[in-house]
Amino acid sequence: MKVGDLVRMCESDDVPGIVVSVTPPDALVRKKPSWYRAKTRVGIAWSDDGGNVVWESRSWLEVVSESR
């Protein structure tokens, strides 16, 4: 999964999103509990979320269309 890929939640017909970052900012990682693994999260801008970036687990996502 890389920046620019079009994704959606696995086994869902939910709206698509685009990967905008694969490395969360340090401030976000420091605020999360120990179970939160930054390397497993990617920043997604969902098409129905007003441009907000949501940090989703890679395992929850499937790539619909890869960027070049």
Side-chain angles (χ1 to χ4, degrees):
M1 203 169 293
K2 59 186 179 225
V3 173
D5 286 354
L6 190 64
V7 296
R8 67 179 182 148
M9 289 289 189
C10 289
E11 300 179 13
S12 173
D13 290 331
D14 286 345
V15 296
I18 190 164
V19 178
V20 294
S21 180
V22 292
T23 50
D26 288 339
L28 179 68
V29 175
R30 282 193 298 265
K31 292 180 182 178
K32 296 295 181 186
S34 61
W35 56 263
Y36 182 92
R37 291 183 178 85
K39 292 180 181 177
T40 65
R41 302 284 173 153
V42 291
I44 307 294
W46 295 107
S47 61
D48 67 344
D49 198 22
N52 296 321
V53 175
V54 180
W55 295 93
E56 304 282 11
S57 174
R58 289 176 187 259
S59 63
W60 300 344
L61 303 168
E62 65 180 339
V63 176
V64 176
S65 179
E66 292 183 354
S67 67
R68 293 182 184 203

